């Protein structure tokens, strides 16, 4: 059976096209573990960038591990088989460092499953001197490392291009030392948090994106997007949406040079069918029209990760239509202007109507709206206004002969660390179900409106892991031993922890929060003032040059 599983991994490898040449016969080895399936993980640009950086280091190679999907995972578990790397089918224990890219709370249990299948000791404290170091990075590590503080030897806080390379250098040159001494050395690196040392740490960000790769390095048909070259346009967002962790934890906004992006497309697009443009809001990229024209002139299609309704232009939507885009996705998040002002979402209903007009003119059939329920200070009247807004949008679509579907993608609001809403509770199940029922009843007989809603229980787990402390880390390990995520809430009760304390309680400005060991660059007072502005329904301006409001920009010239 292990031969069959290894052959399946090798088949994935055989379908890959490498855009750069790498050697996997070097002295030191780093495993990059993405805690989801190959199909999902290979679409993650952050993994490609770190993989590229590490494989470009002297005497260090990097190989990838993914969570087996479906029946394959069952076979690994039933046969007690070890996971294999994609590149050389090595086992996880053959590596010096295990780097983990963690973007979603839903992947925490996948990480534990993969480490167990790789024969890696789950608890950091039980790993011996010569066992691999488990280093966790990505958005989840940045905003709250505590729920995985018993698993990770260290965390990369913020953007990892510089700090992870330094960490690899330290760990690969100190193999003669004991584990505790090596942990002390990496704790001295800017942006590295070691849970056993409780060291204060400052979030890292790349001031000059041009210093690092901007593109994926492997193209494969076995991804969500097919044979796509992914290219990063921008990083960080200055819009200041008060619910958005990424907007706060990765500010300030930075754009890559158009010439560098064009160079990557020229050099690497020969093996791709499409270009994927990545950024927090692709339509905010200052030279998006020049870039999209450039791509089309090369007879390539492109797709975008995100769009803002207030920066869409007829020309950009036309370019998307020429690339075969079938659905335009925008995120009003709320149906009333009052609520959009509270969350600082700078999109008006008029912006959405303008998007509908562009749909009709370019023959893109479908419009998707991202909506959140349970937002701070939300009332039933806001849901009634959401229903009315959707009805008007559907009528507008019919009027201009945009005859495709209007899709509502609905999620429960989850308060995240390092946002102005970090002190607030999540809405209870009764409230969310009642408001979702209002929406379903309003549109059950309306043609062309489709509602897709995330389960409330998934949102509860997400909130618990997002805001959890070290006690949740213990619960995570126990729940994994008993079968996984479905056991987490039961374990919480057994440990006499009250879920209300984590996700249904309002904290005050003086509450010490679990993630406060991290210095994000802005003050807690700034977040509290933003919360008070939200409470008063006041909007705040976008990031701007020479602005010192939040404290991230120290000399005012960063933008």
């Amino acid at each position: 059976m292990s031969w069959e599983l290894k052959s399946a991994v090798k088949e994935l490898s055989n379908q890959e096209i490498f855009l750069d040449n790498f050697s996997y016969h070097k002295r030191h080895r780093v495993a990059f573990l993405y805690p989801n399936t190959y199909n999902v993980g290979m679409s993650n640009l952050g993994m490609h960038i770190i993989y590229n950086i590490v494989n470009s280091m002297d005497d260090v190679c990097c190989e990838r591990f993914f969570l087996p999907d479906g029946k394959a995972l069952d076979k690994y578990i039933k046969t007690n088989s070890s996971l294999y790397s994609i590149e050389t089918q090595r086992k996880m224990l053959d590596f010096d460092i295990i780097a983990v890219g963690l973007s979603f709370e839903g992947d925490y249990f996948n990480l534990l499953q993969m480490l167990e299948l790789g024969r890696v000791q789950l608890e950091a404290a039980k790993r011996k001197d010569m066992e691999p170091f488990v280093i966790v990075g990505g958005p989840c590590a940045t905003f709250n490392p505590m729920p995985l503080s018993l698993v990770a030897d260290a965390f990369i806080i913020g953007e990892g291009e510089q700090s992870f390379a330094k960490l690899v250098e330290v760990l690969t040159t100190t193999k003669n030392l004991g584990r505790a001494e090596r942990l002390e050395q990496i704790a001295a690196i800017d942006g590295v948090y070691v849970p056993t040392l409780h060291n204060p740490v400052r979030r890292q960000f790349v001031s000059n994106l041009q210093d690092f790769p901007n593109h994926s390095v492997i193209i494969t048909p076995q991804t969500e997007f097919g044979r796509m070259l992914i290219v990063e346009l921008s990083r960080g967002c200055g819009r200041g949406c008060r619910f958005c962790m990424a907007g706060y934890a990765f500010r300030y906004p930075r754009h890559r040079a158009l010439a560098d992006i064009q160079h990557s497309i020229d050099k690497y697009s020969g093996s791709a069918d499409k270009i994927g443009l990545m950024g927090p809001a692709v339509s905010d990229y200052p030279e998006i029209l020049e870039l999209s024209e450039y791509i089309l002139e090369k007879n390539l299609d492109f797709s975008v990760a995100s769009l803002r309704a207030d920066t869409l232009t007829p020309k950009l939507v036309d370019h998307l239509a020429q690339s075969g885009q079938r659905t335009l996705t925008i995120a009003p998040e709320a149906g009333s202007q009052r609520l959009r002002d509270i969350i600082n979402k700078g999109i008006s209903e008029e912006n959405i109507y303008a998007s509908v007009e562009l749909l009709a003119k370019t023959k893109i059939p479908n419009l998707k709206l991202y909506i959140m329920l349970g937002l701070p200070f939300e009332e039933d009247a806001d849901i009634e206004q959401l229903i009315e807004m959707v009805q008007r949008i559907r009528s507008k679509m019919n009027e201009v002969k945009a005859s495709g579907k209007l899709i509502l993608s609905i999620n429960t609001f989850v308060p995240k660390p390092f946002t102005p809403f970090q002190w607030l509770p999540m809405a209870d199940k009764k409230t969310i179900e009642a408001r979702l029922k209002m929406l379903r009843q309003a549109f059950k007989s309306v043609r062309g409106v489709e509602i897709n809603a995330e389960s409330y229980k998934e949102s509860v787990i997400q909130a618990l892991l997002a805001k959890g402390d070290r006690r949740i880390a213990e619960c995570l390990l126990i729940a994994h031993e008993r079968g996984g995520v479905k056991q987490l809430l039961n374990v919480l009760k057994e440990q006499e922890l009250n879920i209300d304390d984590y996700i249904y309680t309002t904290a005050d400005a003086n509450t010490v929060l679990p993630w406060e060991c991290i210095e994000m660059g802005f003050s807690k007072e700034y977040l509290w003032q933003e919360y008070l502005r939200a409470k008063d329904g006041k909007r705040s301006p976008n990031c701007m040059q020479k602005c010192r409001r939040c404290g991230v920009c120290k000399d005012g010239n960063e933008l």
Side-chain angles (χ1 to χ4, degrees):
M1 183 58 72
S2 62
W3 176 86
E4 181 184 328
L5 295 172
K6 188 180 286 189
S7 296
V9 172
K10 205 164 189 176
E11 177 58 28
L12 280 176
S13 178
N14 290 339
Q15 296 180 58
E16 295 181 332
I17 299 170
F18 280 76
L19 305 182
D20 285 303
N21 295 318
F22 300 121
S23 169
Y24 304 104
H25 303 286
K26 295 181 180 180
R27 183 180 174 192
H28 307 295
R29 298 171 185 163
V30 175
F32 194 107
L33 189 158
Y34 191 90
N36 210 305
T37 61
Y38 181 92
N39 179 272
V40 174
M42 284 301 293
S43 302
N44 183 278
L45 183 56
M47 183 204 69
H48 285 267
I49 291 173
I50 296 297
Y51 180 86
N52 192 349
I53 290 170
V54 176
N55 273 316
S56 300
M57 296 175 70
D58 293 336
D59 220 14
V60 183
C61 65
C62 183
E63 302 185 34
R64 295 159 293 145
F65 288 80
F66 298 95
L67 181 74
D69 55 358
K71 294 180 181 178
L73 179 57
D74 291 338
K75 288 179 182 177
Y76 274 97
I77 295 170
K78 287 176 182 177
T79 61
N80 197 30
S81 297
S82 180
L83 289 184
Y84 302 105
S85 70
I86 299 294
E87 286 75 4
T88 64
Q89 293 77 62
R90 286 189 178 111
K91 296 181 180 181
M92 210 176 283
L93 286 176
D94 292 335
F95 291 81
D96 306 297
I97 300 166
I98 297 171
V100 181
L102 202 56
S103 299
F104 306 104
E105 294 90 349
D107 288 338
Y108 286 23
F109 282 94
N110 291 342
L111 167 59
L112 299 182
Q113 178 79 79
M114 290 183 71
L115 290 175
E116 188 169 79
L117 287 172
R119 311 287 191 269
V120 176
Q121 176 62 247
L122 293 187
E123 293 185 58
K126 294 181 179 179
R127 293 183 199 123
K128 296 175 181 170
D129 280 357
M130 297 312 295
E131 291 187 71
F133 284 78
V134 176
I135 312 297
V136 180
C140 290
T142 291
F143 70 70
N144 185 10
M146 295 308 156
L148 286 170
S149 58
L150 297 181
V151 177
D153 289 291
F155 293 87
I156 300 293
I157 305 300
E159 296 165 9
E161 283 92 338
Q162 292 164 307
S163 50
F164 185 66
K166 291 176 183 176
L167 178 147
V168 170
E169 185 178 346
V170 169
L171 288 182
T172 54
T173 56
T174 57
K175 290 183 179 181
N176 60 313
L177 301 178
R179 198 175 191 89
E181 292 174 274
R182 297 169 82 189
L183 287 172
E184 287 181 6
Q185 291 209 16
I186 64 174
I189 299 170
D190 290 341
V192 175
Y193 174 65
V194 176
T196 55
L197 299 178
H198 307 282
N199 58 302
V201 61
R202 185 178 177 85
R203 185 261 306 188
Q204 299 297 292
F205 63 91
V206 175
S207 57
N208 186 8
L209 292 177
Q210 276 62 248
D211 290 341
F212 297 97
N214 64 5
H215 59 88
S216 51
V217 289
I218 303 165
I219 291 177
T220 172
Q222 301 298 327
T223 69
E224 290 187 80
F225 307 112
R227 293 162 56 94
M228 177 184 286
L229 174 70
I230 309 170
V231 183
E232 184 182 49
L233 307 190
S234 307
R235 197 178 295 184
C237 181
R239 295 282 188 153
C241 297
R242 293 179 177 126
F243 60 85
C244 182
M245 178 279 299
Y248 282 85
F250 295 100
R251 57 174 52 186
Y252 54 91
R254 291 143 290 156
H255 303 296
R256 290 187 180 268
L258 177 62
D260 287 351
I261 295 168
Q262 290 172 330
H263 173 75
S264 293
I265 293 171
D266 289 344
K267 186 174 181 180
Y268 299 113
S269 64
S271 301
D273 298 328
K274 181 179 278 193
I275 308 298
L277 304 180
M278 298 294 292
V282 169
S283 52
D284 282 356
Y285 182 67
E287 296 161 297
I288 185 60
L289 288 180
E290 294 93 324
L291 178 59
S292 59
E293 281 180 358
Y294 185 81
I295 294 170
L296 291 175
E297 286 170 1
K298 296 180 72 66
N299 295 316
L300 289 164
D301 292 333
F302 73 98
S303 65
V304 299
S306 59
L307 293 166
R308 293 275 309 197
D310 56 341
T311 52
L312 281 178
T313 63
K315 205 165 186 179
L316 176 57
V317 177
D318 179 59
H319 290 171
L320 286 166
Q322 290 182 53
S323 287
Q325 190 97 2
R326 300 284 298 167
T327 301
L328 199 64
T329 302
I330 54 179
E333 310 295 0
S336 69
Q337 190 59 52
R338 181 190 81 88
L339 207 49
R340 288 194 293 273
D341 288 345
I342 285 172
I343 64 175
N344 209 42
K345 188 75 182 186
I347 290 178
S348 68
E349 202 166 317
E350 288 69 30
N351 295 142
I352 303 173
Y353 294 152
S355 301
V356 173
E357 296 271 7
L358 295 176
L359 281 180
K361 288 177 182 176
T362 56
K363 308 298 182 187
I364 295 177
N366 306 310
L367 178 64
K368 179 187 282 189
L369 304 179
Y370 283 124
I371 302 293
M372 284 193 285
L373 296 183
L375 285 163
F377 314 113
E378 182 182 87
E379 300 169 356
D380 283 348
D382 296 300
I383 307 305
E384 291 165 3
Q385 289 186 52
L386 171 61
I387 290 168
E388 292 168 4
M389 182 187 80
V390 172
Q391 289 170 336
R392 288 192 293 268
I393 293 170
R394 182 66 261 183
S395 296
K396 183 70 173 178
M397 290 176 72
N398 294 341
E399 176 191 324
V400 298
K401 295 184 171 53
S403 56
K405 291 187 289 187
L406 175 57
I407 305 160
L408 308 183
S409 181
I410 299 175
N411 293 286
T412 300
F413 165 70
V414 174
K416 291 294 177 80
F418 293 112
T419 69
F421 297 146
Q422 66 180 353
W423 293 277
L424 298 186
M426 178 179 168
D428 60 48
K429 184 177 182 180
K430 183 179 178 181
T431 299
I432 295 300
E433 288 185 342
R435 289 176 178 169
L436 189 56
K437 185 178 180 181
M438 289 173 66
L439 290 170
R440 292 194 188 281
Q441 287 182 335
F443 299 112
K444 65 181 179 181
S445 58
V446 178
R447 290 185 61 188
V449 176
E450 180 180 303
I451 295 177
N452 300 323
E454 181 184 59
S455 88
Y456 182 79
K457 189 169 185 179
E458 288 180 10
S459 299
V460 168
I461 298 298
Q462 182 190 149
L464 184 60
L465 295 176
K467 300 181 76 175
D469 53 21
R470 287 175 183 256
R471 293 173 297 174
I472 296 300
E474 295 177 14
C475 294
L476 198 70
L477 288 169
I478 297 170
H480 170 73
E481 288 175 6
R482 296 185 185 176
V485 64
K486 292 180 180 179
Q487 297 299 318
L488 183 57
L489 299 185
N490 293 332
V491 171
L492 211 67
K493 291 177 184 176
E494 289 177 15
Q495 298 295 309
E496 298 182 347
L497 297 177
N498 189 343
I499 192 171
D500 291 3
D501 295 339
Y502 288 95
I503 66 175
Y504 295 125
T505 300
T506 300
D508 61 38
N510 297 318
T511 302
V512 178
L513 301 169
W515 44 90
E516 288 188 17
C517 60
I518 297 170
E519 169 57 51
M520 198 61 70
F522 47 78
S523 67
K524 189 175 179 180
E525 174 63 21
Y526 168 73
L527 291 181
W528 183 255
Q529 290 304 316
E530 278 296 301
Y531 161 68
L532 295 178
R533 289 181 67 81
K535 197 174 180 181
D536 292 338
K538 295 179 181 178
R539 294 205 59 234
S540 293
N542 297 349
C543 288
M544 62 189 74
Q545 212 162 18
K546 299 188 183 301
C547 165
R548 293 177 175 80
R549 284 180 297 120
C550 76
V552 168
C553 296
K554 299 304 179 188
D555 62 11
N557 295 314
E558 286 86 348
L559 294 183

